[in-house]
Amino acid sequence: MSKNALKDRGAKLMNLAHRVVLTVSGNRLLSEPFGMPVVELHTVGRKSGLPRSCYLTTPVHDSGRVVLVASKGGDDRNPEWYLNLQARPDAELILNGRRHKVHARTADATEKSELWPQIVGAYSGYAGYQRRTSRDIPVVICELLD
């Protein structure tokens, strides 16, 4: 098995474990790792057309938007959820127990330069992820539609 396949399998297992802990604890445990709220993002697979979901943290959010960071832990590849959103930007996410319809877009350079200090301020690990890769880590703005 390739190194990337092992990393991907590990990430999927971690996401599954997170889902189990949240479910069993009634969303009390691991709901704010590193002080950031967890969101459950629901997308449609760009290749399969099947529903997909994953847990992510949101370092920046307000009443009109939720910001996600497509870091994949500093991997040289973009995460699948980001590629799915590029193909189909209309999605749903659950934040604080409420389901929201969203329209996702990649922040432009100006928006990212304004958001990045807030993102790193919320979790300094994002700066380390960016140092690990030559890829410019995308920042995704999910605009709440409801």
Side-chain angles (χ1 to χ4, degrees):
M1 185 175 292
S2 74
K3 184 178 175 182
N4 283 339
L6 282 173
K7 280 198 268 186
D8 292 346
R9 182 169 283 168
K12 286 180 182 178
L13 285 172
M14 190 168 57
N15 210 320
L16 176 62
H18 200 162
R19 182 181 308 274
V20 168
V21 169
L22 283 168
T23 301
V24 169
S25 73
N27 289 326
R28 288 186 305 272
L29 296 176
L30 296 180
S31 62
E32 288 201 17
F34 307 109
M36 296 178 290
V38 168
V39 300
E40 184 177 1
L41 177 67
H42 293 265
T43 61
V44 174
R46 70 192 182 289
K47 295 177 188 174
S48 68
L50 297 174
R52 301 288 184 218
S53 69
C54 64
Y55 287 97
L56 303 164
T57 54
T58 175
V60 178
H61 58 282
D62 56 38
S63 62
R65 69 182 178 171
V66 172
V67 175
L68 304 173
V69 183
S71 63
K72 197 170 183 173
D75 196 284
D76 288 330
R77 300 165 297 148
N78 284 317
E80 297 296 319
W81 65 262
Y82 175 69
L83 300 175
N84 291 342
L85 284 176
Q86 283 186 306
R88 293 184 177 98
D90 292 320
E92 291 185 342
L93 58 80
I94 299 172
L95 173 64
N96 297 325
R98 289 196 56 225
R99 184 177 287 267
H100 300 275
K101 291 184 183 302
V102 297
H103 181 79
R105 61 182 179 79
T106 303
D108 64 31
T110 301
E111 290 171 315
K112 183 176 178 181
S113 70
E114 292 170 4
L115 287 167
W116 193 252
Q118 296 173 58
I119 290 167
V120 173
Y123 176 59
S124 62
Y126 287 121
Y129 298 155
Q130 184 58 78
R131 283 192 298 273
R132 261 188 232 155
T133 183
S134 59
R135 157 179 85 87
D136 182 37
I137 293 177
V139 170
V140 178
I141 299 171
C142 295
E143 296 167 338
L144 301 177
L145 300 177
D146 52 6

